[in-house]
Amino acid sequence: MTTNDDRTITADTITADPLTADMLTADSEAPVHREHDDQSWHASDAAQYHAAQAALEAVPAPAPVAPKAHRPELTVLWHTFETRPVIGLARTVVMTLGDCTHAEAFQVLVDVSRHTNIELREIAQRLVDSVDGPPPSGPLRTALHNAFARLASRSARPDTAV
């Protein structure tokens, strides 16, 4: 039996404590920690080290980390997965407002993004937020109105490419 700071506790120390003395009445032979010589400790440490090393070697190697050249691509992909649902919701809002198809709604969002110099995901977030909150800002509303007008003019002329 040892304390937290690894001091050796003798049988005299144990019986001096009334709580421990009561526990010893049931078992008169309490195990007592004995100091080991340095060689036995070193042998034990070496055995533990080799056992830990063998256990670590048994663990499969982690998946390789993407090279630095691919990290920007992974960041873009992660960002795409995060923003895709918002853009889909915004596309639905545009389809409802403009009575247009799925592809036309996306083209309206892209058109607004180009004319306002605001990222598509930001426009999508503002449109989705405007469903339950305040309407989008004036410039965004104007750009959205103009994009619907351009969509209508393209629809009026079927020979013009989208």
Side-chain angles (χ1 to χ4, degrees):
M1 183 182 294
T2 61
T3 62
N4 287 341
D5 59 356
D6 292 330
R7 287 181 289 161
T8 302
I9 298 177
T10 62
D12 295 334
T13 312
I14 292 173
T15 55
D17 180 23
L19 180 62
T20 311
D22 290 340
M23 292 186 330
L24 284 178
T25 57
D27 185 15
S28 61
E29 288 294 321
V32 176
H33 176 71
R34 293 189 177 90
E35 291 292 328
H36 295 284
D37 61 345
D38 287 340
Q39 289 179 345
S40 66
W41 280 106
H42 290 298
S44 174
D45 290 344
Q48 289 178 356
Y49 170 77
H50 291 299
Q53 190 174 20
L56 286 175
E57 289 173 358
V59 174
V65 177
K68 288 184 180 181
H70 296 296
R71 287 185 185 160
E73 294 171 3
L74 292 175
T75 302
V76 168
L77 282 174
W78 180 255
H79 197 13
T80 301
F81 288 132
E82 287 179 336
T83 59
R84 185 170 290 181
V86 175
I87 293 173
L89 289 172
R91 189 183 286 185
T92 304
V93 169
V94 170
M95 288 169 60
T96 304
L97 292 174
D99 192 31
C100 55
T101 67
H102 195 262
E104 291 171 333
F106 186 73
Q107 189 58 43
V108 166
L109 289 172
V110 170
D111 194 23
V112 169
S113 176
R114 286 183 184 151
H115 283 85
T116 59
N117 201 22
I118 300 173
E119 290 184 12
L120 181 65
R121 63 182 165 83
E122 179 64 28
I123 290 170
Q125 187 64 55
R126 289 182 189 180
L127 281 175
V128 169
D129 290 345
S130 71
V131 170
D132 287 333
S137 64
L140 184 58
R141 280 196 313 254
T142 303
L144 195 57
H145 176 73
N146 292 340
F148 281 130
R150 284 188 288 276
L151 178 66
S153 68
R154 281 193 298 256
S155 297
R157 295 179 295 182
D159 59 334
T160 307
V162 177

